[in-house]
C-alpha cells in the first residue's frame, strides 16, 4: 500500500498550493503520484493564481500604507506651523520667566542689603539719617 495516497487529492492540492513553489518542487521527489499532481497543468495554474492573488493583496496593503503615510505627512505639515508657534511662545514664556526670576533675586538681595544696613545702624547708632530705613519708625533727633 502506498502511504502517500492516503490523503484525498483535493486536500493534497490545497496543502501544496499553500507552500512556496521551491518546497513544492521538493515534494515532487517523494512519490510518483505527488510528482504527477505537482507537475499537472491545473495545479500549476492554481498555484500561479494563488501567487497572483497574494501579490495583489500585498500591493493593496502597500498602497494603503502609502496613503496613510501621505496623510500623516500632510497632517504633520499642517501641525508644523502650530508647533513652531508653540515653541516660539514657550521660548518667550521662558525668557519672561527668567527675567521675573532675576527681578525676584534682585529684590531679595536688595531686601537683604537693606536689612543689613538697618541692623548695622540699629546696633551702632542711636541716630538714623536714612529716611528709607525709618519708614514707619519714629525718628530720633
Amino acid at each position: 500500500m502506498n502511504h502517500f495516497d492516503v490523503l484525498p487529492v483535493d486536500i493534497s492540492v490545497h496543502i501544496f498550493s499553500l507552500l512556496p513553489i521551491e518546497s513544492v518542487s521538493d515534494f515532487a521527489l517523494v512519490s510518483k503520484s505527488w510528482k504527477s499532481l505537482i507537475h499537472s497543468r491545473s495545479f500549476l495554474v492554481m498555484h500561479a493564481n494563488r501567487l497572483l492573488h497574494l501579490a495583489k493583496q500585498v500591493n493593496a496593503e502597500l498602497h494603503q500604507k502609502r496613503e496613510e503615510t501621505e496623510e500623516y505627512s500632510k497632517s504633520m505639515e499642517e501641525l508644523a506651523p502650530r508647533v513652531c508657534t508653540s515653541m516660539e511662545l514657550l521660548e518667550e514664556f521662558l525668557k519672561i520667566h527668567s527675567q521675573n526670576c532675576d527681578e525676584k533675586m534682585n529684590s531679595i538681595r536688595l531686601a537683604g542689603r537693606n536689612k543689613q544696613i538697618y541692623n548695622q545702624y540699629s546696633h551702632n547708632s542711636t541716630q538714623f539719617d536714612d529716611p528709607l530705613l525709618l519708614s514707619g519708625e519714629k525718628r530720633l533727633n
Side-chain angles (χ1 to χ4, degrees):
M1 179 178 172
N2 190 351
H3 296 290
F4 299 109
D5 293 330
V6 174
L7 284 176
V9 174
D10 293 344
I11 293 175
S12 298
V13 167
H14 180 73
I15 291 170
F16 289 144
S17 71
L18 298 175
L19 299 172
I21 197 70
E22 296 84 15
S23 299
V24 173
S25 62
D26 291 341
F27 289 122
L29 302 173
V30 173
S31 74
K32 289 182 181 182
S33 61
W34 282 10
K35 181 180 179 181
S36 64
L37 175 68
I38 290 169
H39 289 288
S40 69
R41 181 168 176 78
S42 61
F43 176 77
L44 293 174
V45 168
M46 184 186 63
H47 202 273
N49 285 338
R50 185 184 146 275
L51 290 176
L52 184 61
H53 178 71
L54 286 175
K56 287 179 180 178
Q57 282 181 335
V58 168
N59 190 27
E61 289 175 10
L62 288 174
H63 183 71
Q64 181 181 358
K65 293 292 181 187
R66 185 181 311 126
E67 286 179 351
E68 290 173 3
T69 304
E70 288 173 359
E71 287 176 16
Y72 178 76
S73 296
K74 286 178 184 176
S75 67
M76 290 308 293
E77 287 172 3
E78 292 171 1
L79 186 61
R82 286 188 237 153
V83 170
C84 290
T85 304
S86 299
M87 290 301 293
E88 291 167 359
L89 290 173
L90 180 61
E91 288 172 358
E92 185 68 25
F93 170 77
L94 291 174
K95 182 176 148 187
I96 291 170
H97 181 68
S98 175
Q99 289 172 350
N100 287 344
C101 287
D102 290 343
E103 289 174 7
K104 286 178 184 177
M105 289 304 294
N106 288 338
S107 296
I108 291 170
R109 283 189 206 107
L110 185 61
R113 194 173 69 204
N114 283 347
K115 187 175 180 183
Q116 269 183 332
I117 293 170
Y118 177 79
N119 288 339
Q120 181 183 1
Y121 277 116
S122 66
H123 291 298
N124 295 337
S125 172
T126 57
Q127 203 129 39
F128 297 102
D129 295 330
D130 191 350
L132 292 176
L133 295 176
L134 291 175
S135 60
E137 293 281 330
K138 195 182 217 184
R139 275 187 127 172
L140 299 175
N141 287 336

